[in-house]
C-alpha cells in the first residue's frame, strides 16, 4: 500500500469512528511545513458573511506566508511559529493581541507560550496587560531568562526590560469585544464565540526541527487573574522532535485538566498512536469532561492533522511543495 493511500484510508477511518474528530492527514514528507489555527467553535456558514469568510481566509494566508517565508529561507521552526502567530496577534479578527476579548474588569489579560522541539526549551507568559505581542514575550522568556514562565506584572516588566514594545491596555480593545463583554455581563451567559479564538502554529523546518506556539486573550468576561491553557506547556503547547508538535484552542479549563498537548505527544511516542488518533483520544477526554475545542498537530516527519470537536476551526497549512490551504468549516476537509 502506498503511503498516500494509507493516509487517505486513515483519514476515512478517523472521520468515521470518533464522535469528536474531524481529521485530515497527509503523508508526503515535505522539506518544511507550517500549520496554523485561529480558533475553533460553532463556526458555521450561516454565522459568517461572505466578506467575513474572505477576511478570515486572507488573514490565515498572511499568517501562513509569514511562517513560510521564514522556513523557505532556512529559518528555524521556532522562528516560523513565532512569525505566524505574530500576524494573528496584530489582526483584530482573532482573540490574541489587538482585538482580544475583555475580562469582567473591562481589561485585557493575554496568555502565550512557545516551545522548541529541538531541545524542548520553552517560554510562556500569563496575564500580561501591556506587552504588545505576547508571543514575543514568551520567546524572550525562553531565550533570555533562566525560567519557563512569567505571570502578571512581572511578565510585563520582564518584556519591557528586554526591549519589547509595550502599549496601553486599551490598544487591545475593539468595539466588537466591548459589545461582547456588555452582552455577557448583561445576560450572565457566554456564547460559543466568547470562549474561542485562540491562535497557534506548529512547524517543521529544513533541519527537521519542530516547534509550537499559542496565544490567546482567554474568554470574554473571565475573572481577572484567570489563566487558561494557552500559556501552559503540556496543556495547549508542546513540541518534541521526532514525536510531535501541538497547539490547542478551546475551553481552557478542560484542556488543562486533560493536559491535551502532552497527552497527544505521549500517546504518539509511547503508545504508537498516529498523530490524528492521539489527538482524537485527547479531545475525546476533553469532551467527556464537557469541553470542546481543537488542535493542530505535526508529527516529527511533517505529517499533520487538524482535529476538532466543534463545528469549525479557522485553520491552514503551507509547505515546501507549494501547497497552501485554508479552511474554516467542518465540511471543507
Ligand atoms: N484556550 C484559551 C483559554 O481557554 O483561555
Amino acid at each position: 500500500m502506498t503511503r498516500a493511500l494509507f493516509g487517505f484510508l486513515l483519514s476515512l477511518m478517523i472521520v468515521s469512528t470518533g464522535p469528536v474528530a474531524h481529521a485530515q492527514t497527509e503523508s508526503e514528507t515535505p522539506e518544511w511545513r507550517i500549520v496554523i489555527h485561529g480558533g475553533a467553535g460553532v463556526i458555521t456558514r450561516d454565522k459568517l458573511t461572505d466578506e467575513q469568510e474572505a477576511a478570515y481566509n486572507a488573514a490565515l494566508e498572511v499568517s501562513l506566508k509569514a511562517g513560510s517565508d521564514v522556513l523557505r529561507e532556512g529559518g528555524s521552526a521556532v522562528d516560523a511559529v513565532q512569525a505566524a502567530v505574530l500576524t494573528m496577534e496584530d489582526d483584530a479578527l482573532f482573540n490574541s493581541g489587538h482585538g482580544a476579548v475583555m475580562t469582567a474588569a473591562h481589561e485585557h489579560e493575554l496568555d502565550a507560550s512557545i516551545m522548541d522541539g529541538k531541545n524542548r526549551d520553552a517560554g510562556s507568559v500569563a496575564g500580561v496587560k501591556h506587552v504588545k505581542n505576547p508571543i514575543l514575550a514568551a520567546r524572550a522568556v525562553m531565550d533570555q531568562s533562566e525560567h519557563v514562565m512569567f505571570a502578571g506584572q512581572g511578565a510585563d516588566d520582564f518584556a519591557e526590560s528586554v526591549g519589547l514594545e509595550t502599549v496601553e491596555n486599551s490598544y487591545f480593545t475593539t468595539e466588537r469585544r466591548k459589545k461582547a463583554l456588555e452582552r455577557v455581563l448583561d445576560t450572565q451567559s457566554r456564547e460559543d464565540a466568547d470562549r474561542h479564538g485562540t491562535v497557534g502554529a506548529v512547524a517543521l523546518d529544513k533541519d527537521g526541527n519542530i516547534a509550537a506556539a499559542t496565544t490567546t486573550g482567554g474568554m470574554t468576561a473571565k475573572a481577572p487573574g484567570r489563566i487558561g491553557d494557552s500559556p501552559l506547556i503540556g496543556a495547549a503547547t508542546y513540541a518534541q522532535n521526532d514525536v510531535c508538535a501541538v497547539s490547542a484552542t478551546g475551553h481552557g479549563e478542560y484542556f488543562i485538566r486533560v493536559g491535551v498537548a502532552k497527552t497527544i505527544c505521549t500517546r504518539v511516542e509511547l503508545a504508537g498512536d498516529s498523530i490524528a488518533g492521539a489527538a482524537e483520544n485527547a479531545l475525546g477526554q476533553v469532551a467527556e469532561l464537557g469541553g470542546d475545542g481543537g488542535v493542530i498537530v505535526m508529527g516529527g516527519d511533517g505529517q499533520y492533522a487538524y482535529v476538532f470537536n466543534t463545528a469549525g476551526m479557522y485553520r491552514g497549512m503551507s509547505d515546501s511543495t507549494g501547497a497552501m490551504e485554508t479552511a474554516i468549516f467542518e465540511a471543507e476537509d
Side-chain angles (χ1 to χ4, degrees):
M1 188 185 300
T2 65
R3 293 185 72 189
L5 180 58
F6 177 75
F8 175 68
L9 291 175
L10 178 66
S11 65
L12 284 184
M13 187 176 74
I14 290 158
V15 169
S16 64
T17 55
V20 298
H22 305 279
Q24 181 177 80
T25 59
E26 196 270 351
S27 56
E28 296 287 311
T29 300
E31 203 180 0
W32 55 262
R33 171 170 284 155
I34 183 151
V35 180
I36 61 169
H37 69 78
V42 183
I43 309 162
T44 49
R45 282 195 189 278
D46 58 307
K47 290 210 163 52
L48 288 183
T49 64
D50 289 349
E51 290 74 28
Q52 287 170 324
E53 184 180 339
Y56 274 107
N57 279 314
L60 292 169
E61 283 183 15
V62 167
S63 169
L64 286 170
K65 185 173 179 318
S68 297
D69 286 349
V70 172
L71 295 167
R72 190 178 301 106
E73 296 301 314
S76 67
V78 75
D79 282 345
V81 293
Q82 174 183 302
V85 165
L86 201 57
T87 74
M88 291 189 279
E89 285 184 351
D90 288 342
D91 192 323
L93 285 175
F94 302 105
N95 174 19
S96 44
H98 175 59
V101 302
M102 304 185 79
T103 69
H106 302 260
E107 285 194 312
H108 302 270
E109 296 181 1
L110 310 172
D111 304 331
S113 61
I114 192 163
M115 187 162 186
D116 186 346
K118 183 180 179 182
N119 45 22
R120 284 194 273 175
D121 276 354
S124 76
V125 291
V128 288
K129 295 183 184 179
H130 296 291
V131 61
K132 183 178 176 220
N133 289 107
I135 200 63
L136 296 183
R139 178 68 184 271
V141 172
M142 180 170 89
D143 288 351
Q144 299 182 56
S145 85
E146 60 179 314
H147 307 298
V148 169
M149 187 171 192
F150 281 78
Q153 186 64 49
D156 272 316
D157 290 347
F158 171 77
E160 191 167 13
S161 76
V162 297
L164 294 180
E165 186 177 354
T166 55
V167 291
E168 292 297 320
N169 194 254
S170 58
Y171 159 80
F172 301 110
T173 306
T174 56
E175 279 307 308
R176 173 188 171 207
R177 301 303 192 186
K178 269 201 226 173
K179 284 193 182 127
L181 176 62
E182 282 158 21
R183 176 177 38 74
V184 173
L185 293 178
D186 282 352
T187 61
Q188 289 298 304
S189 70
R190 290 188 183 91
E191 292 178 2
D192 177 78
D194 300 319
R195 289 184 282 107
H196 295 289
T198 298
V199 307
V202 293
L204 167 76
D205 67 28
K206 287 183 179 177
D207 294 325
N209 300 308
I210 56 177
T214 310
T215 298
T216 195
M219 62 171 69
T220 305
K222 66 184 180 183
R226 177 265 186 188
I227 304 293
D229 58 319
S230 301
L232 299 181
I233 299 300
T237 303
Y238 202 77
Q240 182 176 353
N241 272 13
D242 303 318
V243 180
C244 76
V246 179
S247 173
T249 172
H251 195 151
E253 279 68 11
Y254 298 94
F255 281 66
I256 293 170
R257 289 159 65 197
V258 172
V260 165
K262 179 61 174 157
T263 291
I264 292 170
C265 290
T266 298
R267 291 194 68 88
V268 169
E269 184 181 22
L270 302 182
D273 283 11
S274 67
I275 54 169
E280 185 182 16
N281 178 286
L283 285 180
Q285 295 183 52
V286 168
E288 273 171 29
L289 297 179
D292 64 1
V295 293
I296 49 173
V297 192
M298 180 168 288
D301 59 357
Q303 186 181 129
Y304 71 103
Y306 313 111
V307 183
F308 46 101
N309 61 1
T310 50
M313 181 164 78
Y314 300 107
R315 58 198 186 277
M317 181 282 295
S318 73
D319 68 23
S320 55
T321 70
M324 181 184 279
E325 65 189 25
T326 61
I328 299 174
F329 311 110
E330 177 187 343
E332 289 178 72
D333 292 342

